[in-house]
Amino acid sequence: MSTVSLPALSRVAVCGGTHGNELSGVYLVRERLKKKQQQREGQESFSVTMVMGNPRAVQQCRRYTEADLNRCFTRATLNSPISDKTPYEIIRSQELNGLLGPKGSPKAMDLVCDLHNTTANMGLCFITFSDSDWISLHIYRHLQRELATIPVRYIHFDLPKNEAYSLESVGKHGFAMEIGPQPHGSVRSNVFVAMQEGIELMLEWIRLFNSGTHFEGGSVEVFTLVKNIDYPRDPETRSITAAIHPELQDRDFCLLHPGDPLFLSFSGETLRYKGKEPLYPFFVNECAYYETGIALSLASRRRVTIPSIQCNRDRLTMGTDV
Amino acid sequence: MSTVSLPALSRVAVCGGTHGNELSGVYLVRERLKKKQQQREGQESFSVTMVMGNPRAVQQCRRYTEADLNRCFTRATLNSPISDKTPYEIIRSQELNGLLGPKGSPKAMDLVCDLHNTTANMGLCFITFSDSDWISLHIYRHLQRELATIPVRYIHFDLPKNEAYSLESVGKHGFAMEIGPQPHGSVRSNVFVAMQEGIELMLEWIRLFNSGTHFEGGSVEVFTLVKNIDYPRDPETRSITAAIHPELQDRDFCLLHPGDPLFLSFSGETLRYKGKEPLYPFFVNECAYYETGIALSLASRRRVTIPSIQCNRDRLTMGTDV
C-alpha cells in the first residue's frame, strides 16, 4: 500500500468539561489554561486551543443542566433555530460549532480531542464515528505503544457522519478520549496522570507528523459497537431490579460468552447473557447511562489495516493562535 | 464487669436514600418493601420499619435537593419553624422525626440504622456519635466476626448528642452503615450484597438479644475522628489544585505517617502530610465532600471495653407494626 499524503494539522482543540462532572478533563483544561497565561509556548507547528465544553454544568458539577451537550452536535441540532425555550446546551453546542467548526467546513479545527471519564473499568479509549480516519488511528497506535500505565483501545460507533452527535465530530479529525474507572464528581490521580500523558503523546505525534515523519502502515485492533443492553426493570415503576453481576463488573473488554452471568438481581438471582455470539462488553455499569437504559454495551473486535501516512508539507501553515 | 441489663429492641427502623444518589440503600429499601407486600413476616420479637429517607432526592438521583438532609437532625433544626422558604430537607427531617422519634423521647425507635455509600475504599463502617452505646457496639462486633467478604470498622464522631446532626441520632440507639467504594448514582453487586448481609446479621443479633442471649463483654477497636484535611485550593477561585496522592488513594485505615505523600498537584508536585502524629485516614476522596472541603478525615485508634449485656426480658413488648 502506498503512503497516503495528508495535510498538516495546524489547528488542534482539546476540550474538557463537556460533561461537567467528569473532572479529569475539567482540571486538565484549567491547568493548561493557567500555564498558558504564565508562559507563551515555544515554536510549535500548530496551535492548541483549550476549551471548557460546558462551563455551566462544570460550575454545578453535573453532567449537564438541561440536555446532554454531547448529544447536541448532529447537523440537525446545530442548525435548529434558537428560542427562549431552547435548552442551554443546544445554545452552547452552536457556540462551540462556531468556535471549533463549522462542522464539515474547511474552517473547522483540524483535530478535536474531547476528554471524558467513565465509572467503567475501560482504561483509555478512543471513541469515534469512523474506522477510516487515519490520523485518529495513527495517534491511537502511538498511544497504545507508548502509554505504559493503562490499556489503550479504539471504539467505533458505526453511524453516518451526519448523525454523529458528539463534540469531536465538529473537527476535520477527532475522537473522544474516555478514561476510567473514576466516579463522576471526583478526580483520581492515576486517571488524571494517564490523561495528561495521553494528551502529551498526542501532541508529540502531531509534532512528528507536521515535521514530515513517515508513519508506517500496519493493522490495529478496533472494537465496533454491536448493541446496548439495559438493566432488568420493574415493568410498572421502571426501577432497575438487578445490578451488573460481580463476575462481569470491572471486566470491560473481556469476552462475554452466551450463558455467562450478566446481572445479579436484588433478590439474589443470576441472569445470564442470552446472545448467540460472544462479544466484548464495555461501558459496564457506567453511572450516567442508568437514565438512558444502558447497563453495558457489546462490541465485535476486528483488525483494521491502516496505510502509511506522511504530511503533505507543502500545505503546512504555521499555527498563529498558540 | 457485671452484665448490663437493657430493654428489648422492639421497634427498629432501616433507612435508605437519605442521600438520594447512594443507591445500595435505595434498592435495599425498595426490595424489602416489595417483599413485605408479598408476604407477611412470621413471628418476630420486633418490628422493622423500612424508610426512604429523601424520596425527592432519590427521584432526581442527587445527594439532596436544597440542603443535605443528613445534617438536619440537630435539636435546633428539628425545632425550627417552617415557612414558605424552608428547604425541603428541613421539612422532611421534621417529618422523619415524627415518624422515627421524636428524638430523645420514649416514643423514639429503639434502633435506627441509616444506609449510606461512599466512593472511598472504607469497607463497611458503623458511624455514630457515641462510644458507649453498647447495643451498637455489640452489633458491630457481631458483624465484624461474621461478615467474611468485607472489613468492618467503627467510627466515632465525638460530638454531644445535642449537636448530632444525622438521621440515626433520632433513635434511642443508632448508627449509619456506610459501605464503599461505590460511585454515587450507581450500584455495585458486591457492595449491595455486603449491605444485605450486614442488615441480616444486625436483625439476627436483635433476634438473639431479644430472646435473652447473654453477650459476653470484651474490647473492640474504635476509630475517633481527630480532624479533616481539605484539598489544596487556588486562593482566588477556590478550585482544587491537587488530587489525593496515588499512594494514599484507596488506602483508608492504613496508618498515615508525618512526611507520607498526601496529594499530587495537577502540575506534578507531591505534597506531604505535615501532622505531628501518625493517624488513620478515612473518607479518602469521598466525592460528596469536595463541596464541604474535606479531602480526607483522620482518626486515632483505640480499644474500647464493652460490658456483657443481656436483655431485660420483663420489659419485652412484642412488635405490632411489622
Side-chain angles (χ1 to χ4, degrees), chain B residues 73-100:
Chain B
F73 293 92
T74 58
R75 276 187 204 277
T77 305
L78 290 177
N79 293 314
S80 66
I82 301 288
S83 76
D84 285 356
K85 291 182 181 164
T86 304
Y88 165 70
E89 275 83 4
I90 292 186
I91 298 169
R92 181 66 181 149
S93 73
Q94 299 191 3
E95 281 176 15
L96 288 167
N97 191 42
L99 182 67
L100 308 176

Side-chain angles (χ1 to χ4, degrees), chain A residues 14-20 29 33 49-58 63-73 77-83 86-101 114 165 167 170:
Chain A
V14 177
C15 309
T18 299
H19 291 137
V29 165
L33 286 171
T49 305
M50 303 300 300
V51 178
M52 195 68 82
N54 192 338
R56 201 179 282 189
V58 167
R63 183 174 174 88
Y64 57 82
T65 66
E66 300 178 293
D68 189 335
L69 175 61
N70 212 33
R71 302 293 178 272
C72 293
F73 294 91
T77 305
L78 291 177
N79 293 315
S80 65
I82 301 288
S83 77
T86 304
Y88 165 71
E89 276 81 4
I90 292 184
I91 297 168
R92 181 66 182 150
S93 73
Q94 298 190 3
E95 281 175 17
L96 288 167
N97 192 41
L99 182 67
L100 308 176
D114 192 31
Y165 47 71
L167 173 54
V170 165

Side-chain angles (χ1 to χ4, degrees), chain A residues 199-266:
Chain A
I199 294 297
E200 283 306 327
L201 287 166
M202 175 186 83
L203 297 177
E204 175 185 273
W205 187 91
I206 297 170
R207 222 168 274 134
L208 291 168
F209 177 73
N210 283 352
S211 71
T213 304
H214 178 268
F215 292 96
E216 285 295 327
S219 87
V220 293
E221 185 181 72
V222 168
F223 292 91
T224 302
L225 171 69
V226 174
K227 62 180 167 185
N228 300 317
I229 296 184
D230 191 12
Y231 291 95
R233 292 180 188 266
D234 182 286
E236 279 174 38
T237 64
R238 304 303 300 153
S239 176
I240 67 171
T241 57
I244 293 292
H245 196 280
E247 288 181 33
L248 174 59
Q249 179 69 52
D250 301 328
R251 291 176 60 82
D252 300 69
F253 298 107
C254 298
L255 196 57
L256 183 77
H257 291 90
D260 283 351
L262 206 54
F263 298 107
L264 181 61
S265 82
F266 297 138

Side-chain angles (χ1 to χ4, degrees), chain A residues 27 30-31 119 183-189 192-193 196 239-240 243-244 246 249-250 264 266-267 285 287 290, chain B residues 27 30-31 119 183-189 192-193 196 239-240 243-244 246 249-250 264 266-267 285 287 290:
Chain A
Y27 290 116
R30 278 197 190 146
E31 189 62 24
T119 58
H184 300 317
S186 72
V187 56
R188 290 174 65 95
S189 282
F192 182 81
V193 168
Q196 273 186 324
S239 176
I240 67 171
I244 293 292
Q249 179 69 52
D250 301 328
L264 181 61
F266 297 138
S267 56
N285 202 359
C287 168
Y290 281 62
Chain B
Y27 290 116
R30 277 195 192 150
E31 189 62 25
T119 58
H184 300 317
S186 72
V187 56
R188 290 174 66 95
S189 281
F192 181 81
V193 167
Q196 274 186 324
S239 177
I240 68 171
I244 293 292
Q249 178 70 52
D250 301 328
L264 181 62
F266 297 138
S267 56
N285 202 0
C287 168
Y290 281 60

